[in-house]
Amino acid sequence: MNHHSWQSRGALPRVFSLADLKRFLGADEQTAMATALRWLESGQVRQIAPPRPVFIRLGAGELPDERDLCLALRRTFPAVVIVGGSALWRQGASRERDLLLDCAVSGATDQCHLPGVRLHLRPDGWLAAVSRAHGLSGHCHEVPLLSAEMAVADAAAFADVWVPDRSSLDWQRLSAERVAVAQRALQSIRA
Amino acid sequence: MECQEQYPAVRPVDWLASEAMKSRIQALSEYLAVYRAEARDRRRARNLRELRHDIRRLEAWRWYLDAARRQPRWWHWLRVVSAALGQRPHDPLRRAGKRRQGMLRLSAYSVIDRAYAALMEDCQGCLLALSLRRDGGDPACRGRLADRVAGLNQLRAQLADEAERVAVICAVLGLVQRCASWFGLHPGALPTVGS
């Protein structure tokens, strides 16, 4: 065990940024970078979505729990939102659970090294349009969720997220009027 | 990773500063969009106010940096005034008496410093991602990223030296921006040519 390992200090969180690492080590920039690189090369740590400077401690084949997953997403993408079937299930509007957590992000990213997550790119202005139309409702470990109606409208508009079959949806929880409002809000940014 | 496109050849440090402001404003605006949708309780409403305030200060500082390229008359005036008003008090007792002002200054300083630090960490994250590639990444690209990190370190050191002056500039331009928005003007639309 080298003297920079978090086990010996016991305080570096599971999800951490480069700034956290610098503070934790109390070392200069070069030392922090060298340490991060060594951990990344050894596979003890993953860079969540390169080049964003946020990392997660994760062993090979290990799956993070939903709390860590959401924390990692929130720290990597400030405006991450849970969409599609993942939002519908967490809103209680679907009886079918998602296999992967579908999330919308605004910044382009080549890859995401978080198991169990699928990212979907949304255009500039998407979050503002969703927010104006009151399309966010509730959280999952502080990651905002699309409202059930907005999740349906968003899935129809972008056609890139998983949604359950119609028969698995709880239609009593979905307002057709609000779905129409959400669709109109999204049309403005699709146009 | 499209390094050449993302990180063009050496740019003056003021460009880098402006870019840091731009990306931080964008990040905070994203937080703002999320908070705005959910600002129902008091804590979130306070966060919303703080975020708006931080964004205004970053916009003010970015406005000043962008104007530095054209150097209009108001920019020279503001430079002189901020240098005069933003002097560090030598007398510690006088300094202690200005606690509230000091807190405001520290806050303006930390908001801008955080913006520089965030861009620096993005560059370092990029360097780490390149290092993990089998080929180690394009050396020219690595060099450009290292230059940007050095430039941002230089900006942070400079900022620490002139924290008081920066706070005065942010306060003045922030007020101008507020007045402009009352009259329905966008700060970018304010007169700049020799004004």
Side-chain angles (χ1 to χ4, degrees):
Chain A
M1 188 190 294
N2 66 61
H3 70 287
H4 284 320
S5 70
W6 53 80
Q7 291 93 336
S8 63
R9 293 168 188 247
L12 192 66
R14 195 174 169 91
V15 176
F16 61 95
S17 69
L18 209 48
D20 296 332
L21 182 62
K22 285 174 198 170
R23 267 195 300 272
F24 174 72
L25 295 175
D28 58 42
E29 303 267 332
Q30 294 304 322
T31 312
M33 288 284 284
T35 306
L37 185 59
R38 202 165 54 245
W39 286 352
L40 285 166
E41 282 171 340
S42 71
Q44 301 174 75
V45 156
R46 294 185 203 178
Q47 194 169 0
I48 292 165
R52 290 165 197 256
V54 186
F55 310 88
I56 186 167
R57 284 190 282 126
L58 212 57
E62 192 186 343
L63 285 172
D65 61 28
E66 197 168 72
R67 194 178 144 274
D68 285 337
L69 209 62
C70 289
L71 176 63
L73 285 168
R74 233 170 358 103
R75 295 208 63 183
T76 314
F77 304 100
V80 65
V81 177
I82 297 175
V83 296
S86 303
L88 286 166
W89 189 79
R90 283 163 184 79
Q91 297 283 4
S94 160
R95 284 182 287 275
E96 208 175 324
R97 190 172 184 171
D98 52 341
L99 286 176
L100 295 172
L101 189 68
D102 281 303
C103 294
V105 293
S106 56
T109 181
D110 295 342
Q111 50 195 328
C112 177
H113 292 154
L114 272 180
V117 174
R118 191 165 39 198
L119 297 180
H120 305 275
L121 184 63
R122 290 291 178 265
D124 289 342
W126 176 82
L127 188 55
V130 166
S131 168
R132 272 196 305 273
H134 306 289
L136 297 179
S137 173
H139 302 89
C140 174
H141 300 292
E142 301 216 11
V143 175
L145 295 162
L146 282 190
S147 66
E149 290 83 2
M150 186 56 86
V152 170
D154 175 78
F158 293 94
D160 60 351
V161 293
W162 171 81
V163 276
D165 291 339
R166 290 178 70 85
S167 58
S168 300
L169 290 177
D170 183 353
W171 291 97
Q172 294 197 329
R173 280 178 173 265
L174 285 164
S175 149
E177 198 182 321
R178 276 192 240 146
V179 172
V181 170
Q183 279 174 329
R184 275 199 297 279
L186 292 179
Q187 265 168 8
S188 62
I189 53 159
R190 295 285 290 164
Chain B
M1 192 179 304
E2 296 302 324
C3 184
Q4 278 88 346
E5 281 174 30
Q6 218 177 337
Y7 302 104
V10 186
R11 283 172 156 186
V13 171
D14 55 343
W15 277 93
L16 203 55
S18 183
E19 190 189 328
M21 294 307 114
K22 190 182 163 191
S23 57
R24 189 68 181 158
I25 289 168
Q26 195 182 339
L28 293 188
S29 301
E30 288 180 354
Y31 279 124
L32 190 68
V34 173
Y35 275 121
R36 198 180 281 146
E38 323 170 312
R40 292 191 191 108
D41 60 46
R42 197 177 286 177
R43 185 176 64 92
R44 284 191 183 272
R46 197 182 61 225
N47 286 344
L48 200 67
R49 267 200 311 277
E50 281 169 10
L51 271 175
R52 279 203 195 105
H53 191 48
D54 288 352
I55 291 173
R56 258 200 302 274
R57 278 191 288 216
L58 291 172
E59 280 173 345
W61 184 238
R62 188 182 171 206
W63 187 14
Y64 179 80
L65 292 171
D66 288 348
R69 284 175 225 152
R70 298 184 310 271
Q71 301 200 350
R73 221 172 291 164
W74 67 261
W75 184 86
H76 286 288
W77 174 84
L78 187 57
R79 201 165 61 108
V80 172
V81 169
S82 63
L85 293 177
Q87 277 177 349
R88 282 188 181 189
H90 298 295
D91 179 2
L93 290 173
R94 209 178 135 216
R95 193 174 188 139
K98 290 191 168 183
R99 188 178 294 164
R100 186 176 146 66
Q101 246 174 310
M103 279 165 70
L104 285 173
R105 287 167 184 178
L106 177 70
S107 189
Y109 160 75
S110 29
V111 168
I112 295 170
D113 185 58
R114 185 71 204 107
Y116 291 150
L119 186 62
M120 193 166 87
E121 280 156 22
D122 279 351
C123 293
Q124 289 173 328
C126 209
L127 274 169
L128 284 174
L130 283 176
S131 303
L132 285 177
R133 280 165 53 152
R134 275 194 202 126
D135 60 0
D138 176 13
C141 178
R142 294 178 62 86
R144 280 197 289 273
L145 283 164
D147 286 347
R148 286 165 69 89
V149 171
L152 286 159
N153 262 326
Q154 186 191 329
L155 279 168
R156 291 182 75 184
Q158 204 178 319
L159 181 72
D161 287 341
E162 52 177 24
E164 284 87 355
R165 197 174 78 83
V166 170
V168 172
I169 292 168
C170 287
V172 172
L173 290 184
L175 190 66
V176 173
Q177 277 179 320
R178 259 191 178 190
C179 293
S181 69
W182 287 337
F183 290 106
L185 291 169
H186 187 268
L190 288 172
T192 51
V193 183
S195 51

